[in-house]
Amino acid sequence: MKIRTSIDFEKELNPQQLKVVRAGDGPILAIAGAGSGKTRTLTHRVAYLIESGVDPHSILLLTFTNKAAREMLDRVEAIIPYDVKNIWGGTFHHIANRIIRVHAHRLGIEANYTILDQADAHDLLNACLQDHWQVKNNELVPQGSVLFNIISLSRNTRTGIRELIEMRSPFFLDYAEEIEAIDRHYRERKKKLNLLDFDDLLSMWLSLMQENPPLLDFYAERFRYVLVDEYQDTNKLQADIIDTVASHHRNLMVVGDDCQSIYMFRGADFSNIIDFPKRYPDTRIYKLEYNYRSSPEILNLANKIIVCNERQFRKVLQPVKKRGSEPLVIVPDNVYYQAQFIAYKIHECIYNGVPPREIAILYRAHFHSMELQMELTRQAIPFEVRSGIRFFEQAHIKDIVSYLKVMINPYDEVAWKRILQFMPGIGKKTSQKIFNCLAETQDPLTACTEQNIVSLAPKRARPYWENLSGMISSLMEIGTRGSPSELIKSLLDNGYRDFIRSKYMDSARRDEDIQQFVGFALQYELLTDFLSDLALLTSSEAVEVQDDCRCETVTLSTIHQAKGLEWSVVFILGLTEGRFPNPKNLESVDDEEEERRLFYVAVTRAKDDLYLCSPATMVDSNGNSVYLKPSRFLRELPVECYRKMDSMT
């Protein structure tokens, strides 16, 4: 039965959007360029189907976030008089949970299962680690969070654990057999305790359909129309679920932008979208190229960036907005002048009426923003870090600082407790007990290696205690007269690098942060001066400025975290070889093309003004001045699509 509405689709949509909304049955790939009204198109497609007589119960709308699902369903409800609760809409995990609750008995689990959040999953894996791992030669074994990431990526990419470790974490290859055993034990423990993690929801949803043909027939028949948002971000497991659910009617519409596929490190599979027409030879491809976000000048530059990629669905973003200012390439002498220039321009923008919330600084890696965060703090410019917490407040930076603090003051209780609580099995009570014993000695730095102190630590912490002792000893050899940079390098080389590998999946990124921290420390000769300035940069006064201006802050973000957002003014940092593209992500042509897509995503966040920063020099961790080559992505651009400011000091 058709629902009568007053929707004027021709008035509400542009011609490209209208073609997608009114597309007939069969597989459809909608390539939605940045700022092209993707959400508007999807919601009107759902409304059009319902108006055309499609039973809302037979529509499945899959999204990546609950916020996106709510927004789409709310928009559908706003344009068509229908209760959207009857539409099956939500995230992959939400729909999976809804189905598994009904059919849990087929999987050998109880329907009242509990879903583990990530922290709980880490804890359970740590318990499995204690049960199964045989510690040899005082090795620092990967902890629960690292194990979780390995196991999760294995399941979502449908890759064996050993194969995944070879590709992603080769330094754990010697542990592959043990990790496989822990994974089996983890599954057994979850089943016994009637627990599921988020990955279980997806894998069990697929298993239900593949192993129960009548159930597959029921759901594949029921979901006459399947629509998927942000398809370029799907992993192998999600793509297999989609293909299975849509296998009967084949009325599958996937919407996304291959040029914004940037999450391979999370398991996203670019081949899902680029090879969609191969899996569905009768696919009809539609392109949304009208951009409502950016100025013609910014779009011209974006189009010139992405044309260099071979593997893509060719499209040209077309501006709707009127002319604006040309993008500006800035070549400051170094990263400190880069930070000063940006701070100056932010003051200028705010003076000219641009709200701070409409200004963003984007970067390839979090440590690229270190000097900028320092400068913004000095100039009392309030900022919010979307890519995590502030550089100097990150766990691994605070870890390093704690070691340096006990060198200056061996009785620093707060610093000692942080150091002690690095280790598995040592919590607040045990760390307090150990510190009390250390505080009673004449030399806590020497006493921490003595047997009467070591015996206070639980058995599972002993390998880590040896690691701690090695780091303390290396610092004592240098002494407090050593330079801060020398002390930090010693920590990294004498145990801390091994520690972060065992505790964090992104250890390479944290290692880069610390190397950058070494460069910052080169400004100081005395450890006391270094620690004093750090304290001022992270003081309560600086935090209070942020709290008072929470609604009016400049945004700092990695490009990955910025996807889907937009600002009037955008600065992009560190566009030099060795930084952007990331040299560790250049093992193949596909890797370089993903890095170029990342640059494209950054540029298309800007609405009115775009600044591309390429510092001319930097100081390396040895204190040497190094000349930097502009990023290949800048060198590829025709000079007529931007203005340039050289040697800015």
Side-chain angles (χ1 to χ4, degrees), residues 8 14 33 41 70 103 204 226 272 296 382 392 401 408 458 577 620:
D8 186 343
N14 68 42
T41 303
R70 286 194 299 271
H103 305 287
M204 287 184 174
V226 179
N272 289 346
F392 297 106
V401 172
I408 293 294
E577 285 296 306
D620 66 17

Side-chain angles (χ1 to χ4, degrees), residues 62-117:
L62 291 167
T63 65
F64 270 84
T65 66
N66 290 313
K67 180 182 177 182
R70 286 194 299 271
E71 180 183 358
M72 287 190 191
L73 294 176
D74 286 347
R75 287 200 194 185
V76 171
E77 197 167 42
I79 60 177
I80 194 168
Y82 189 81
D83 186 354
V84 296
K85 292 178 182 178
N86 291 308
I87 299 170
W88 280 61
T91 64
F92 283 85
H93 296 98
H94 170 78
I95 300 298
N97 181 51
R98 186 171 174 179
I99 291 173
I100 292 170
R101 291 285 182 193
V102 177
H103 305 287
H105 63 283
R106 296 175 183 265
L107 295 162
I109 59 176
E110 300 295 327
N112 63 340
Y113 59 81
T114 302
I115 301 174
L116 291 167
D117 63 22

Side-chain angles (χ1 to χ4, degrees), residues 194-415:
N194 205 35
L195 301 171
L196 300 184
D197 62 26
F198 284 102
D199 298 323
D200 290 325
L201 293 174
L202 298 189
S203 59
M204 287 184 174
W205 181 12
L206 184 59
S207 294
L208 269 175
M209 293 185 293
Q210 290 181 336
E211 297 170 11
N212 298 274
L215 207 58
L216 170 59
D217 289 342
F218 174 79
Y219 283 107
E221 193 61 37
R222 173 173 190 161
F223 295 131
R224 183 179 166 194
Y225 290 90
V226 179
L227 300 92
V228 186
D229 186 25
E230 301 286 8
Y231 188 68
Q232 78 281 345
D233 295 336
T234 54
N235 57 44
K236 182 67 168 65
L237 178 56
Q238 290 164 331
D240 288 348
I241 289 170
I242 293 164
D243 290 344
T244 304
V245 174
S247 59
H248 281 207
H249 295 289
R250 298 180 76 255
N251 295 327
L252 172 60
M253 175 180 283
V254 298
V255 182
D257 184 3
D258 57 299
C259 294
Q260 296 188 67
S261 177
I262 58 173
Y263 294 123
M264 184 172 65
F265 70 99
R266 293 182 187 170
D269 193 335
F270 181 65
S271 66
N272 289 346
I273 190 166
I274 204 70
D275 293 336
F276 188 83
K278 293 181 182 178
R279 299 205 313 280
Y280 295 89
D282 53 336
T283 296
R284 282 165 295 144
I285 300 175
Y286 296 88
K287 296 178 182 178
L288 303 179
E289 297 173 299
Y290 291 117
N291 177 284
Y292 293 87
R293 175 187 298 154
S294 305
S295 69
E297 293 79 7
I298 291 172
L299 293 184
N300 179 46
L301 186 139
N303 288 327
K304 294 293 192 297
I305 291 169
I306 207 63
V307 76
C308 297
N309 273 10
E310 291 298 324
R311 295 188 73 201
Q312 64 166 298
F313 295 103
R314 299 280 175 187
K315 63 179 179 299
V316 178
L317 295 179
Q318 302 173 36
V320 173
K321 294 175 68 172
K322 295 180 180 179
R323 289 184 62 82
S325 59
E326 282 186 303
L328 178 64
V329 172
I330 307 100
V331 186
D333 276 3
N334 55 48
V335 292
Y336 298 101
Y337 284 119
Q338 173 181 255
Q340 290 171 19
F341 169 79
I342 292 172
Y344 168 78
K345 292 301 293 186
I346 289 173
H347 280 306
E348 184 181 83
C349 288
I350 294 172
Y351 179 80
N352 289 329
V354 179
R357 65 178 179 276
E358 281 293 325
I359 303 171
I361 302 95
L362 308 181
Y363 34 85
R364 175 63 182 84
H366 194 38
F367 73 82
H368 294 173
S369 70
M370 185 181 69
E371 296 84 7
L372 178 65
Q373 291 190 38
M374 289 166 19
E375 188 65 27
L376 295 182
T377 301
R378 289 192 186 105
Q379 298 205 25
I381 296 175
F383 63 91
E384 171 193 7
V385 182
R386 283 190 59 88
S387 51
I389 57 179
R390 295 180 173 211
F391 182 87
F392 297 106
E393 294 169 1
Q394 296 178 102
H396 48 294
I397 300 299
K398 293 180 75 173
D399 291 349
I400 294 286
V401 172
S402 293
Y403 276 99
L404 300 181
K405 283 181 175 179
V406 298
M407 288 296 295
I408 293 294
N409 175 14
Y411 296 94
D412 187 326
E413 181 174 355
V414 174

